[in-house]
Amino acid sequence: MFKQSLEKIVSNTADAIGAILMGYDGIGIESFRNPDNDTDMTLMGIEYSNTVKEIRNTAEILQNGELEEVSIKTDRYYVIIRHLTAEYFAALVLKRSGNFGQGRYQLLKESYGLREALLG
């Protein structure tokens, strides 16, 4: 179920590189990478998990509400991270030439099923 959802996100987003389902503890659950790209999705997820965990904790301390999404823009990539549960998040990585809005939408659309499967 997880791999199919991640593949759907990547397949339906222009210039997507890959997607990953990961725990905030840095342990990857599942990933899917566009076969035309060799980016290590697991390594990227591990490195960003600590940052997202800190952002989530900061939002709680400041009582800003529960974290929903974090977007990171570098000169090469967009990274969109979607909070799923207290323990898990999903991330989508796409080239800068990709459609950021489309990626956000696809990640949001699939996040409901991912969350349900994780809690189920």
Side-chain angles (χ1 to χ4, degrees), residues 1-6 110 112-118:
M1 185 288 161
F2 296 135
K3 192 163 196 99
Q4 293 85 0
S5 290
L6 298 175
E110 289 299 314
Y112 299 107
L114 290 169
R115 181 181 299 119
E116 189 174 301
L118 288 165

Side-chain angles (χ1 to χ4, degrees), residues 17-97:
I17 291 171
I20 189 163
L21 174 61
M22 177 153 264
Y24 284 105
D25 58 4
I27 297 174
I29 306 302
E30 188 65 78
S31 66
F32 177 81
R33 187 188 68 203
N34 187 324
D36 298 335
N37 196 290
D38 62 354
T39 301
D40 187 339
M41 294 303 300
T42 302
L43 179 60
M44 194 173 284
I46 290 168
E47 295 300 328
Y48 280 125
S49 67
N50 287 326
T51 302
V52 176
K53 186 169 33 176
E54 288 301 316
I55 294 169
R56 184 183 67 169
N57 292 341
T58 300
E60 289 175 8
I61 290 167
L62 296 174
Q63 298 178 343
N64 289 341
E66 188 173 350
L67 178 70
E68 291 183 15
E69 182 180 280
V70 174
S71 299
I72 300 163
K73 181 179 176 182
T74 70
D75 65 339
R76 294 179 58 201
Y77 302 118
Y78 290 119
V79 181
I80 307 164
I81 300 168
R82 185 90 192 156
H83 172 80
L84 299 174
T85 70
E87 297 176 12
Y88 301 102
F89 67 90
L92 171 65
V93 179
L94 56 152
K95 296 176 188 175
R96 283 292 301 273
S97 58

